[in-house]
Amino acid sequence: MSKQNDVSVAKAAPGAATRMLAARVLAQVFTRGRSLKAELAWALPKLADSRDRALLEALCFAVLRRRSTYDAALQSWMQKPLSARDADLRTLLMVGFAQLDVLALPAHAALSATVDAARALGRERQAGLVNAILRRAQRQGFPEQPAREAFPEWLADAIEHDWPAQAEAIFNASLQPAPLWLRANRQHGGRDKALAALAEAGIAAEPSALCADALRLAAPIAVNQLPGFAEGALSVQDLSAQCAADALAPVPGARVLDACAAPGGKSAHLLERDPSLRLLALDIDARRLARARDTYARTGVGGQAQTLAADASDPGSWWDGVPFDAILLDAPCSATGVIRRQPDVMFHRRAEDIDALVGVQARLLEACWSMLRPGGVLLYATCSILRAENIDQVRAFLKWHPDAVAQPLGDAFGVDCEGVARQRLPGDNDADGFFYARLIKAA
């Protein structure tokens, strides 16, 4: 973001600044393929009030989930289509729609602040247009959108092919706001102590029967308001991701590889449970690995976690030849199981991406298997719900590796996948979509 844009944000009224930032974030996501997470990372700190930051996030998520509906409205209501140079104006109008449609904010305040945001964006000449279009939206409203229509055609078809009976539920769950799940650190007293601290702070939370460290908050809250977060007593992590520690279940003192570790939540969880583990956290991205180190330091496991920036698919460039007892391979994937947290995935992924991802996953599986000792365990996991990346990938691996045995996992990990793996679908147990395959190497 340029210094000039920083100045325009600073000069805008708080309500206008929030809407202006939302329009800019969405324009970057739609026109430049930027990730929502990355764009919010620079936008959120520009708002001092936590309520404005929460509104900025809510606006961006609402627009992403209703994009096709808002596109259709603009096409119908505008006499002259907006040009590519009007990306920020187009997204500002969508931000206005979301306030009236999804968030149901008071119309007068929503219209006034959005028109002010148009002026702050340097769109003084279009302020009247913004006002007129939003007033029409206020009068006419928006049609209900079948959840499937929010998805690109190729992805909707793939989900219906892979999960015909569950497809509609997947579409609906993927467009709902995700709850805030917390992981209680056993080195800080565990879940009971965390529940007591949350209750004392007036924060309602419920434990999960599926994972001994998981807590679900009744309502989202900023992490800096969580008692013990800064000290590492609590971490934000979805239930499905927490279950990876149970699925891997390394023995005490095991030599463990987290092959794609960043941002470090799963390996921190393993070490919180068992500090005796000798864990190497590996990631190909040095910048993301730095975030993992911060996670380890905050949670108090930094002394147990060795970190290395390297490519897990190329052991010859870094591995010392000593086999690992357990390997966690949370592989790069389409992220189709976490669309409710990353709705921009719907617009950034392409059908041709899946074949490329499957190739990367296969290379990682091969490399990690070569580093696993006989009798060791490898957990192959993704946050995808597509068969090609999950059960088909594991089936192909088992076919070519007679020394690999799939060890069944229980119902806590989702629906059964042909007796060799488990798949949690989005929204099941209020958790993200996630795939687990526990593979044992024959001794």
Side-chain angles (χ1 to χ4, degrees):
M1 189 174 181
S2 69
K3 290 183 179 180
Q4 182 179 358
N5 286 335
D6 277 338
V7 171
S8 65
V9 171
K11 287 185 175 181
T18 303
R19 290 151 178 87
M20 178 174 62
L21 282 170
R24 285 178 172 162
V25 166
L26 291 164
Q28 292 292 308
V29 171
F30 290 158
T31 64
R32 298 188 62 188
R34 295 277 294 169
S35 80
L36 177 63
K37 185 183 295 186
E39 291 303 303
L40 286 174
W42 66 252
L44 289 170
K46 300 182 187 305
L47 298 172
D49 193 315
S50 62
R51 292 169 297 182
D52 291 329
R53 294 193 295 270
L55 176 58
L56 171 58
E57 286 194 280
L59 288 168
C60 291
F61 275 77
V63 169
L64 285 162
R65 289 171 178 143
R66 292 279 275 165
R67 181 184 179 182
S68 60
T69 296
Y70 298 161
D71 275 335
L74 288 173
Q75 185 175 354
S76 173
W77 294 344
M78 299 197 70
Q79 293 180 345
K80 182 180 178 182
L82 293 170
S83 71
R85 292 176 296 178
D86 296 320
D88 59 348
L89 180 60
R90 184 181 193 86
T91 52
L92 180 63
L93 286 165
M94 291 184 173
V95 166
F97 293 167
Q99 294 170 73
L100 301 170
D101 175 35
V102 178
L103 304 185
L105 299 182
H108 174 75
L111 266 66
S112 176
T114 307
V115 171
D116 287 345
R119 295 190 176 101
L121 282 168
R123 296 284 185 165
E124 181 72 38
R125 294 177 60 184
Q126 287 89 17
L129 171 67
V130 171
N131 184 66
I133 293 292
L134 294 186
R135 287 193 179 280
R136 183 165 184 175
Q138 181 188 2
R139 292 193 306 270
Q140 293 186 212
F142 298 90
E144 285 297 317
Q145 175 193 39
R148 187 192 195 281
E149 292 184 6
F151 290 71
E153 192 70 19
W154 76 267
L155 181 54
D157 289 346
I159 291 171
E160 288 178 338
H161 177 271
D162 291 354
W163 301 99
Q166 299 92 346
E168 185 175 356
I170 291 172
F171 295 142
N172 288 324
S174 296
L175 298 182
Q176 297 302 311
L180 185 63
W181 283 95
L182 302 177
R183 184 184 77 240
N185 190 337
R186 296 189 185 186
Q187 302 305 310
H188 287 256
R191 190 163 68 179
D192 289 344
K193 185 175 180 180
L195 275 168
L198 289 166
E200 186 176 348
I203 301 170
E206 292 184 357
S208 169
L210 301 180
C211 181
D213 305 310
L215 296 165
R216 182 192 180 281
L217 293 195
I221 191 172
V223 294
N224 59 10
Q225 297 178 40
L226 293 171
F229 179 83
E231 297 76 22
L234 288 171
S235 296
V236 174
Q237 189 177 40
D238 187 80
L239 171 65
S240 290
Q242 292 189 48
C243 287
D246 289 323
L248 182 64
V251 299
R255 187 169 192 255
V256 179
L257 172 66
D258 186 350
C260 302
K266 296 179 184 68
S267 39
H269 190 195
L270 289 168
L271 289 167
E272 289 168 10
R273 287 185 163 192
D274 185 359
S276 76
L277 298 177
R278 296 166 291 144
L279 187 141
L280 173 61
L282 195 78
D283 203 273
I284 195 170
D285 189 329
R287 289 176 298 180
R288 296 188 72 236
L289 191 61
R291 290 178 53 202
R293 293 191 190 99
D294 292 341
T295 297
Y296 303 146
R298 183 183 62 80
T299 55
V301 301
Q304 288 78 45
Q306 179 187 356
T307 60
L308 180 64
D311 184 354
S313 69
D314 182 20
S317 66
W318 59 269
W319 182 41
D320 61 7
V322 179
F324 292 94
D325 303 304
I327 297 177
L328 170 59
L329 175 54
D330 182 12
C333 71
S334 63
T336 44
V338 293
I339 286 173
R340 62 183 193 160
R341 297 189 188 278
Q342 300 175 36
D344 50 321
V345 165
M346 291 188 290
F347 310 108
H348 291 160
R349 288 282 178 264
R350 300 289 182 269
E352 55 269 25
D353 295 340
I354 305 305
D355 286 343
L357 285 166
V358 167
V360 171
Q361 294 155 2
R363 290 193 296 275
L364 284 165
L365 266 169
E366 287 287 342
C368 287
W369 197 249
S370 72
M371 295 184 283
L372 186 68
R373 70 163 175 83
V377 56
L378 183 150
L379 179 68
Y380 175 72
T382 76
C383 57
S384 170
I385 57 172
L386 301 182
R387 284 187 61 97
E389 300 176 88
N390 294 340
I391 186 61
D392 290 352
Q393 182 75 266
V394 171
R395 278 290 187 198
F397 183 80
L398 292 171
K399 177 181 178 180
W400 294 105
H401 294 82
D403 60 342
V405 178
Q407 188 173 73
L409 293 166
D411 293 342
F413 298 94
V415 298
D416 177 69
C417 294
E418 302 179 12
V420 299
R422 289 278 173 168
Q423 174 80 63
R424 181 170 287 118
L425 297 172
D428 288 356
N429 306 112
D430 230 352
D432 290 343
F434 212 86
F435 178 81
Y436 315 84
R438 191 173 201 265
L439 306 175
I440 307 298
K441 194 170 191 176

